Amino acid sequence: MFGYDIGISGGVTSMDDFLEEFFPGVYARKHKAKEDNYCKYDNQGLQLFTSSLYLAALVSSFVASKLCTKHGRRLTMQAASVFFLAGVVLNAAARNIAMLIIGRILLGVGVGFANQAVPLFLSEIAPVRIRGALNILFQLDVTIGIFVANIVNYLVSNIHPWGWRLALGLAGVPATMLCLGSFVIAETPTSLIEREQLIEGLAMLKKIRGTGNVDAEHQEILHACEMARQVKQPFRNLMKRSSRPQLVIAIAMQVFQQFTGINAIMFYAPVLFQTIGFKNDASLLSAVITGIVNVLSTVVSVVLVDKVGRRFLLLEACGQMLITQATNELQHGVAIWVVVLVCLFVSSFAWSWGPLGWLIPSETFPLATRTAGYAFAVSSNMVFTFVIAQAFLSMMCHLRAGIFFFFAAWIVVMGLFVIFLLPETKNVPIDEMTEKVWKKHWFWKRFMDEEEEERR
C-alpha cells in the first residue's frame, strides 16, 4: 500500500486528464512547445497532492506509537487499513482539489500507522539469524507496490477521461489485503508480555519458534518488559544520554534515506522522463523499468544483509549512487543514458539505504523506548519525504541538472557517517544491542558510560 502510493502519485500527476481537471495551469504549460522543460511542473498545489500524505504520516506516527504500546502491533495495522480504505474512496471519487488532499491525508494516517507497526512486528517475531532478511521483506513489498503502480499508470494512461480515477481506486486492493491480513496474523510475544498477557505471550513464542525450548529468549523478553515498565514516560526517556546513540542513528538514517534523492526519482519518474524528452507512454514505460530494477535489487538485500552485514551494503551503495548522481544536463540526446543511470541508482538504493533505513532503527532501540524511538524514526522519514516531495519540482526548475549534485553532496556525508558512527548490528539479538553494540562502540560508549556513572 505504501509503495503503491509512492508510485501512483507520480504517474497520475503526469496524466493529461488529471492535470486538465485539477491543475489546468500545469496542463497548459506542459503543452507549450517552447516552455522550459525544467519548470513545466513547478506548481505548489501539484506538489502538495503528493506531499500531503507524508505530512499526515508524520503526525500520525506519534499517535501510532501510543497505540502500538497500549493495544499492540496487530490492532495498529487494523487501524491503518481503515484509514487507507477511506483515503482510497475519497481520491478515486474526487471532484475538487480539497477531496484529493483530504484523501491523501487519510492515506498518510494509514502510512504512519502501518510504518510504525509493521517493522516492529517483523523485528520482534524474527529469529535473530534471519532478522535482517525478514524485516527487509517490508521494503520488498514497498518496491513491489511501486512496480505495480508503475504498470497500472502505464495501462490506464490511455483510458480517457477517467484512467487516473482507476489508478487511484486500485489502491483499494492492497488496502483490503492489509485489512484482511491484519485479522489473520497473531500478536508478537513481546507485545503480549509487555501488556502483561504472560501466558499468551509464552504460548505464542513457542508457536512461532516451533519448539518448547524458548526459556532463554523468554527470559530476555521478560527482563526487557520489566525494564520497560519502569519507564513511565518513554518519549522523555528518549532524551536521556543513554538513548542518544539509538535516537541519532534512527533519525539520521531517515534523513539520509531521503537525501539520496530516491523519492524525488520514484515520485516523479514519469515527470522526470518527460522532462528529458520521452513522450507520455514512453515515460511511464521507463518508470516500469525502474520499478522492475527496484524489486529485483531489494531481493539482493534480502539474500545478503545477514551475510555481509549492514555497513558493507550501505558503503557500497554510497559509491554507486555518487557515480550515478553526477549526471550531465537533461537533454534529448542523453535520454536513454539517463534511464540507465536512474536504474543503477535505484538498484544501489534498493539493496541498501531503502530497506536498511527501516531495519536498523527497528532493531536498535531497547524495549523501554522501542515504540517511541521508532515513532521518531518514522516521523523523521515522513517530514523529509514531505520536504523532498514538496520541493523537488521547484528545485528542478531553479537548480536544473545541479539538483543531482545537491543529492551527490549528501551521499558523501552519508558515507562518512557510516564509516565513523554506524555500528554493525548483524547477528546481535534485538534485546542485547545495548551490551553488545552501543557499550562497545568507540564513540557511542561514552554516552552509556556516563549513564552508568549517574546511576551509581
Side-chain angles (χ1 to χ4, degrees):
M1 184 69 209
F2 184 31
Y4 190 88
D5 279 327
I6 291 174
I8 210 69
S9 59
V12 166
T13 53
S14 71
M15 295 180 189
D16 285 350
D17 293 323
F18 177 81
L19 292 175
E20 191 171 15
E21 182 160 351
F22 295 104
F23 302 99
V26 176
Y27 175 79
R29 284 205 306 272
K30 177 181 176 182
H31 291 280
K32 285 182 180 177
K34 295 183 180 180
E35 178 74 28
D36 183 350
N37 273 343
Y38 286 98
C39 298
K40 282 185 176 181
Y41 294 91
D42 181 14
N43 180 281
Q44 290 298 308
L46 183 62
Q47 291 172 135
L48 185 63
F49 167 71
T50 296
S51 64
S52 57
L53 183 152
Y54 303 95
L55 192 60
L58 157 67
V59 176
S60 65
S61 61
F62 289 102
V63 179
S65 169
K66 297 282 188 182
L67 192 62
C68 255
T69 300
K70 289 189 175 181
H71 300 288
R73 288 52 164 155
R74 182 169 173 258
L75 185 68
T76 307
M77 287 187 238
Q78 290 170 358
S81 66
V82 172
F83 283 110
F84 276 143
L85 288 168
V88 168
V89 171
L90 270 180
N91 270 181
R95 296 295 175 185
N96 50 54
I97 294 177
M99 287 183 71
L100 278 179
I101 301 302
I102 293 171
R104 291 288 288 179
I105 288 172
L106 289 172
L107 289 173
V109 175
V111 167
F113 275 49
N115 282 17
Q116 173 73 22
V118 174
L120 291 178
F121 176 88
L122 293 174
S123 287
E124 289 177 350
I125 66 168
V128 64
R129 69 184 184 280
I130 58 166
R131 187 179 65 240
L134 185 61
N135 204 295
I136 287 173
L137 291 178
F138 169 77
Q139 180 67 17
L140 177 62
D141 284 339
V142 173
T143 64
I144 291 172
I146 294 170
F147 174 55
V148 171
N150 289 335
I151 293 176
V152 169
N153 283 332
Y154 179 68
L155 294 177
V156 306
S157 61
N158 290 316
I159 301 177
H160 304 290
W162 50 271
W164 64 270
R165 291 189 186 276
L166 180 59
L168 295 176
L170 286 174
V173 175
T176 303
M177 290 170 64
L178 177 66
C179 185
L180 296 176
S182 64
F183 285 95
V184 174
I185 61 171
E187 187 57 88
T188 71
T190 300
S191 180
L192 289 169
I193 294 171
E194 182 182 28
R195 290 179 287 129
E196 299 187 353
Q197 299 177 32
L198 303 181
I199 296 174
E200 295 89 339
L202 178 58
M204 186 55 62
L205 184 60
K206 291 178 179 178
K207 181 179 179 180
I208 65 174
R209 296 293 179 253
T211 177
N213 185 23
V214 295
D215 289 346
E217 185 175 3
H218 184 232
Q219 288 302 316
E220 286 178 10
I221 295 174
L222 284 172
H223 176 69
C225 289
E226 183 58 37
M227 296 295 290
R229 286 190 195 101
Q230 295 175 18
V231 178
K232 303 302 181 184
Q233 298 291 335
F235 282 99
R236 186 182 300 169
N237 210 56
L238 271 178
M239 300 302 110
K240 291 184 177 180
R241 287 184 63 81
S242 60
S243 297
R244 199 77 49 81
Q246 303 98 316
L247 187 61
V248 170
I249 294 289
I251 293 175
M253 290 297 295
Q254 307 310 312
V255 175
F256 291 149
Q257 187 189 77
Q258 295 312 307
F259 278 88
T260 59
I262 184 63
N263 275 340
I265 300 296
M266 300 313 295
F267 290 154
Y268 300 114
V271 171
L272 178 65
F273 290 135
Q274 282 189 16
T275 297
I276 60 177
F278 286 110
K279 298 299 182 184
N280 191 54
D281 286 353
S283 70
L284 291 171
L285 183 58
S286 298
V288 171
I289 294 170
T290 61
I292 294 172
V293 171
N294 198 14
V295 172
L296 295 178
S297 300
T298 306
V299 175
V300 172
S301 187
V302 173
V303 174
L304 294 180
V305 68
D306 290 313
K307 295 178 181 177
V308 303
R310 285 67 161 150
R311 281 166 51 88
F312 175 85
L313 290 175
L314 291 171
L315 288 171
E316 186 282 332
C318 282
Q320 188 169 326
M321 286 191 290
L322 186 61
I323 293 170
T324 57
Q325 287 283 20
T327 54
N328 212 324
E329 282 281 327
L330 301 180
Q331 297 170 349
H332 291 252
V334 296
I336 300 299
W337 176 236
V338 171
V339 174
V340 172
L341 287 173
V342 167
C343 287
L344 287 171
F345 172 81
V346 168
S347 67
S348 61
F349 177 88
W351 63 55
S352 61
W353 290 91
L356 298 182
W358 296 109
L359 168 62
I360 291 173
S362 75
E363 66 183 5
T364 51
F365 284 99
L367 182 60
T369 55
R370 189 171 298 158
T371 59
Y374 200 72
F376 269 95
V378 173
S379 61
S380 299
N381 184 284
M382 295 307 153
V383 72
F384 284 98
T385 303
F386 169 79
V387 169
I388 294 296
Q390 187 64 25
F392 176 70
L393 295 178
S394 298
M395 289 172 68
M396 189 165 70
C397 177
H398 293 94
L399 297 177
R400 299 174 177 267
I403 189 171
F404 298 108
F405 293 104
F406 168 81
F407 290 129
W410 275 98
I411 291 170
V412 173
V413 175
M414 291 158 49
L416 295 173
F417 180 85
V418 173
I419 291 171
F420 293 108
L421 294 177
L422 187 69
E424 181 58 68
T425 54
K426 180 184 72 170
N427 293 331
V428 180
I430 191 170
D431 290 313
E432 297 179 21
M433 289 288 174
T434 298
E435 296 295 329
K436 295 187 175 181
V437 174
W438 304 112
K439 287 186 178 181
K440 294 184 178 180
H441 189 268
W442 73 272
F443 180 77
W444 297 120
K445 67 180 182 181
R446 71 185 67 178
F447 294 90
M448 301 298 169
D449 293 340
E450 289 177 16
E451 187 77 9
E452 289 291 333
E453 290 175 8
E454 286 179 10
R455 284 179 188 159
R456 293 192 194 121

